[in-house]
Amino acid sequence: MKKEQQHNLIKWIKRISAVATITVWGYVMVIFLKDPAPFAELAPYCMGSTMLIFGVLTGIFKGLEYWERKV
């Protein structure tokens, strides 16, 4: 029973972290879109922040998958 609860907890943490990540990414994109600078100047920051944000999500998922295998 405890293993099933841990698997459910891991599943929900994955869902919440994915939604939180997409929300943060959307907020960052809105900031870039509202900036009056030309997009060509903002593109490196846009790409870098996207890579960083989703890199963190990937790390979270890898950690949770490691925890899931140990359960």
Side-chain angles (χ1 to χ4, degrees), residues 37-60:
F39 186 73
E41 291 180 16
L42 297 174
Y45 300 107
C46 181
M47 290 188 302
S49 63
T50 298
M51 291 170 58
L52 179 65
I53 290 167
F54 285 101
V56 170
L57 178 64
T58 301
I60 291 170

Side-chain angles (χ1 to χ4, degrees), residues 29-43:
M29 291 302 113
V30 168
I31 291 172
F32 284 129
L33 291 173
K34 287 183 178 181
D35 198 311
F39 186 73
E41 291 180 16
L42 297 174

Side-chain angles (χ1 to χ4, degrees), residues 1 5 8-10 12-13 17-18 20-22 26 34 38 43 50 52 56 60 64 67-68:
M1 184 71 171
Q5 287 176 338
N8 284 336
L9 176 65
I10 292 168
W12 276 103
I13 292 172
S17 61
T21 300
I22 291 171
K34 287 183 178 181
T50 298
L52 179 65
V56 170
I60 291 170
L64 290 171
W67 180 26
E68 198 170 23

Side-chain angles (χ1 to χ4, degrees), residues 17-30:
S17 61
V19 169
T21 300
I22 291 171
T23 303
V24 169
W25 178 75
Y27 176 72
V28 170
M29 291 302 113
V30 168

